[in-house]
């Protein structure tokens, strides 16, 4: 597939019905600076673009779990592949679809007295049918259409919400007078008496982006990188997604949340505020359009995770270890059975969670301890299958314990403790277990060409040339970060009537992106 189609598909599957309502909660509770919980992932998204998009495409695998037996040797590699297929294919996919179902329920409850279960069943059956019928290709094509409906809907809502409060100038002055100027800060207050929010911010920008379930791409994005025409299309798709997701589509949500604060104050459940604004400011017809956009966003996420979950379960467990020589028709049938099971499990989870944002944070913490291992396995020969396995298990155990026994702890505290303890575990396990078989490492280097000093020992044995892939990629990543965040905050400054600041930031963004384009060509 071509880069622009895949890039829009990545953006669509991240723009779900849960995203704007979770973003609204972040703004209501912590102001614009609270959105750093989301923006910090942009650091990781660009790292994936420059470090991993090309490497994943070179691998030629079908799922990210399949790379395990390309990278590691022995029976433990097979065990890890099964474990990871279940870990991401069932646990993560079911949780993600569960909070997406919860978000749909919250939006519809705030907008209409129509029986939510009727809508839930109807849309879910529709998603299920077209995903079964068309597979991954159909998922990407419907993502493309659904994204533009959802994005345009969010812009329309923001425009009407801003008009309702009297325009952008009035929005800024009313937020400052009612809730204080700190609400409109892009960064938390760096004063000494504000160490709590400051520590959370630094956890986001220094730790969370790499202690993350998507640290080297994440299953749904990797699936799209692997389906690209070539390495360049994989790279361009990831770059397009990063700028759309973290600099463009976020500002209509932020404006709507700020307008909701002015119109309704801080409601008991901030995740209901987005739908409350919709009901207040949109006339009939446009309300229907925006609602259809949100339902489209819901569908684009559900179809992705149904297809992805079935890919893990069939490709990495069923076909690899249980039934190896059946027909393609049999495997397609089994993937449909897996989709049905995942759908039922996710609905069950949706009925037992209360907060979309809370579920986001728990799942991030659950996988945080393994995030670093998914990065360094590409660049250091000594990492083995025991490294990943011990990191995933210890991270899940620690995160679950903290959630059950220390629920009152801040998210940042839970994340840091989970990462610290898990890192100690996997480092110790790595050092006391045997390295991967030399022939396996040699074939991996020859196929992937990771180009880092961490592989010198293997390249010396195989006479494989080195290269400067890692050093060049990190340099380009730094330039892209300046471009992304200058563009993001330039747009925000323009909307909040900070015109001088906007001009400086947008100029910086233009220069950075021009320099990036030059470096990419040379």
């Amino acid at each position: 597939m071509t880069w622009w189609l895949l890039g829009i598909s990545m953006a669509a599957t991240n723009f779900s019905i849960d995203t704007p309502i979770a973003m609204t909660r972040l703004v209501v509770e912590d102001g614009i600076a609270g959105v750093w919980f989301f923006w910090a992932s942009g650091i990781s998204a660009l790292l994936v673009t420059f470090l991993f998009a090309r490497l994943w495409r070179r691998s030629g695998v079908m799922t990210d779990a399949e790379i395990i037996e390309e990278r590691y040797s022995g029976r433990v590699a097979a065990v890890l592949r099964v474990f990871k297929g279940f870990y991401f294919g069932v646990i993560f996919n079911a949780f993600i679809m569960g909070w997406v179902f919860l978000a749909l329920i919250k939006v519809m409850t705030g907008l209409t007295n129509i029986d939510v279960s009727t809508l839930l069943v109807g849309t879910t059956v529709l998603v299920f049918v077209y995903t079964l019928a068309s597979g991954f290709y159909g998922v990407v094509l419907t993502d493309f259409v659904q994204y533009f409906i959802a994005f345009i809907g969010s812009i329309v809502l923001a425009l009407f919400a801003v008009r309702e409060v009297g325009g952008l100038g009035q929005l800024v002055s009313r937020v400052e007078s009612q809730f204080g100027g700190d609400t409109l800060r892009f960064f938390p207050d760096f004063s000494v008496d504000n160490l709590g929010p400051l520590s959370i911010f630094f956890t986001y920008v220094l730790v969370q982006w790499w202690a993350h379930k998507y640290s080297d791409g994440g299953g749904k994005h990797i699936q799209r990188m692997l389906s690209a025409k070539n390495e360049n299309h994989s790279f361009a798709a990831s770059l397009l997604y990063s700028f759309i997701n973290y600099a463009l589509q976020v500002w209509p949500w932020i404006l709507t949340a700020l307008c909701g604060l002015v119109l309704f104050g801080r409601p008991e459940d901030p995740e209901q505020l987005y739908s409350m604004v919709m009901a207040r400011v949109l006339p009939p017809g446009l309300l229907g359009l925006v609602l259809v956009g949100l339902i489209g966003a819901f569908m684009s996420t559900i179809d992705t995770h149904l297809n992805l979950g079935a890919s893990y379960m069939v490709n990495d467990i069923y076909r690899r270890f249980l039934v190896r020589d059946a027909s393609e028709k049999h495997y397609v049938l089994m993937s449909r059975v897996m989709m049905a099971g995942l759908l039922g499990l996710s609905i069950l989870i949706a009925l037992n969670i209360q907060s979309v944002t809370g579920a986001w944070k728990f799942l991030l913490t659950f996988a945080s301890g393994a995030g670093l291992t998914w990065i360094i396995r590409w660049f250091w020969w000594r990492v083995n299958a025991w490294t990943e396995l011990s990191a995933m298990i210890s991270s899940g155990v620690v995160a679950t314990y903290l959630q059950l026994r220390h629920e009152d702890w801040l998210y940042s505290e839970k994340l840091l403790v989970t990462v610290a303890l898990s890192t100690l575990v996997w480092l110790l396990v790595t050092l006391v277990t045997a390295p991967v078989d030399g022939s396996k490492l040699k074939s991996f280097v020859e196929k992937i060409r990771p180009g880092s000093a961490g592989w010198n020992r293997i390249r010396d044995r195989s006479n494989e040339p080195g290269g400067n892939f890692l050093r060049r990629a990190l340099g380009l990543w730094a330039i892209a970060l300046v471009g992304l965040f200058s563009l993001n905050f330039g747009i925000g400054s323009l909307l909040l009537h900070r015109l001088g600041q906007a001009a400086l930031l947008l100029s910086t963004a233009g220069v950075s992106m021009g320099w990036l384009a030059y470096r990419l060509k040379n």
Side-chain angles (χ1 to χ4, degrees):
M1 298 184 188
T2 192
W3 64 273
W4 52 266
L5 180 61
L6 293 171
I8 296 296
S9 178
M10 289 180 186
T13 195
N14 280 275
F15 184 162
S16 181
I17 194 169
D18 63 300
T19 321
I21 71 170
M23 207 68 60
T24 301
R25 180 169 190 152
L26 294 172
V27 174
V28 168
E29 293 181 344
D30 301 306
I32 294 177
V35 182
W36 271 104
F37 173 78
F38 174 79
W39 280 325
S41 299
I43 304 173
S44 176
L46 285 177
L47 185 76
V48 169
T49 300
F50 291 97
L51 256 68
F52 300 119
R54 297 182 188 279
L55 301 185
W56 276 117
R57 185 62 184 81
R58 289 173 194 170
S59 72
V61 296
M62 183 173 290
T63 67
D64 56 311
E66 188 177 338
I67 197 70
I68 289 166
E69 290 191 293
E70 300 272 342
R71 171 64 176 81
Y72 305 129
S73 58
R75 183 173 297 178
V76 66
V79 172
L80 177 60
R81 183 174 177 182
V82 172
F83 181 78
K84 202 165 184 178
F86 185 81
Y87 185 88
F88 283 115
V90 177
I91 298 175
F92 270 71
N93 268 310
F95 259 97
I96 291 170
M97 288 192 289
W99 73 53
V100 172
F101 282 125
L102 176 63
L104 179 66
I105 293 168
K106 287 197 172 192
V107 168
M108 293 308 300
T109 302
L111 284 178
T112 178
N113 57 6
I114 296 174
D115 180 19
V116 176
S117 61
T118 302
L119 180 67
L120 189 64
V121 171
T123 53
T124 302
V125 168
L126 180 58
V127 173
F128 188 61
V129 168
Y130 78 67
T131 306
L132 290 187
S134 60
F136 182 67
Y137 194 72
V139 167
V140 172
L141 290 179
T142 52
D143 280 353
F144 185 80
V145 176
Q146 289 162 344
Y147 177 75
F148 286 104
I149 298 173
F151 187 37
I152 292 170
S154 70
I155 294 173
V156 168
L157 175 58
L159 290 172
F160 274 80
V162 168
R163 189 180 73 168
E164 182 75 10
V165 300
L168 289 172
Q170 279 294 308
L171 172 62
V172 170
S173 62
R174 292 178 69 176
V175 169
E176 288 178 339
S177 63
Q178 291 178 231
F179 303 98
D182 286 352
T183 304
L184 299 178
R185 286 178 177 269
F186 295 156
F187 297 88
D189 182 6
F190 285 90
S191 61
V192 177
D193 61 350
N194 197 43
L195 293 179
L198 198 58
S199 67
I200 295 173
F201 167 74
F202 281 119
T203 300
Y204 292 161
V205 299
L206 298 179
V207 178
Q208 179 184 279
W209 63 267
W210 55 262
H212 196 281
K213 66 182 186 293
Y214 296 152
S215 60
D216 70 340
K220 60 186 179 181
H221 292 168
I222 292 168
Q223 194 178 36
R224 285 153 177 77
M225 295 174 203
L226 291 168
S227 68
K229 288 182 177 181
N230 53 44
E231 290 179 28
N232 290 333
H233 280 262
S234 176
F235 166 81
S238 184
L239 186 64
L240 175 64
Y241 153 73
S242 298
F243 276 83
I244 290 176
N245 196 58
Y246 295 102
L248 298 180
Q249 71 184 30
V250 68
W251 283 103
W253 301 332
I254 293 174
L255 287 179
T256 301
L258 292 173
C259 291
L261 271 175
V262 170
L263 295 172
F264 298 102
R266 289 189 169 95
E268 183 178 346
D269 182 0
E271 292 179 355
Q272 294 279 8
L273 187 60
Y274 196 80
S275 56
M276 291 165 65
V277 175
M278 290 173 62
R280 166 78 176 263
V281 306
L282 293 175
L286 277 179
L287 176 61
L289 172 66
V290 175
L291 181 58
V292 165
L294 286 175
I295 293 172
F298 159 79
M299 294 168 72
S300 71
T301 300
I302 295 298
D303 63 16
T304 290
H305 286 281
L306 283 176
N307 185 276
L308 180 63
S311 296
Y312 281 122
M313 296 301 290
V314 173
N315 187 63
D316 298 303
I317 299 177
Y318 185 79
R319 186 172 192 166
R320 171 64 180 84
F321 298 102
L322 299 177
V323 180
R324 295 191 177 188
D325 299 315
S327 66
E328 290 299 317
K329 185 175 181 180
H330 173 79
Y331 293 124
V332 171
L333 173 63
M334 290 308 300
S335 73
R336 292 170 174 172
V337 173
M338 301 296 182
M339 286 184 195
L342 280 172
L343 201 57
L345 180 59
S346 63
I347 292 174
L348 184 64
I349 289 173
L351 299 175
N352 288 278
I353 56 177
Q354 286 75 46
S355 168
V356 173
T357 311
W360 272 19
K361 291 183 176 181
F362 171 69
L363 207 61
L364 281 175
T365 308
F366 190 87
S368 61
L372 191 57
T373 68
W374 297 328
I375 294 175
I376 65 173
R377 66 180 177 178
W378 296 91
F379 304 110
W380 185 35
W381 71 275
R382 186 60 180 84
V383 170
N384 60 32
W386 287 110
T387 305
E388 283 195 45
L389 191 61
S390 62
M392 292 165 70
I393 293 173
S394 58
S395 180
V397 169
V398 173
T400 303
Y401 172 80
L402 293 177
Q403 182 69 18
L404 295 175
R405 300 300 299 271
H406 298 283
E407 190 176 357
D408 57 329
W409 282 21
L410 294 174
Y411 160 72
S412 57
E413 294 173 325
K414 294 176 183 176
L415 182 73
L416 291 174
V417 170
T418 302
V419 170
L421 294 178
S422 301
T423 301
L424 287 174
V425 170
W426 69 254
L427 279 174
L428 179 62
V429 168
T430 302
L431 295 175
V432 300
T433 53
V436 177
D437 180 73
S439 61
K440 177 69 72 172
L441 294 174
K442 180 176 178 293
S443 64
F444 181 82
V445 170
E446 290 172 349
K447 183 176 184 179
I448 304 299
R449 305 188 307 279
S452 76
W455 290 101
N456 285 347
R457 179 170 177 170
I458 307 303
R459 277 196 295 266
D460 290 344
R461 295 176 185 172
S462 61
N463 297 318
E464 188 71 20
N468 64 346
F469 171 80
L470 180 59
R471 185 170 64 252
R472 173 177 164 80
L474 291 175
L476 295 173
W477 173 56
I479 298 170
L481 283 174
V482 175
L484 174 65
F485 286 104
S486 297
L487 177 63
N488 176 45
F489 294 124
I491 293 171
S493 298
L494 192 64
L495 293 171
L496 298 178
H497 283 200
R498 303 168 186 169
L499 300 184
Q501 181 175 293
L504 177 62
L505 287 167
L506 292 175
S507 298
T508 303
V511 171
S512 301
M513 288 187 279
W515 178 241
L516 179 65
Y518 173 79
R519 288 288 305 276
L520 286 170
K521 290 180 180 179
N522 295 280

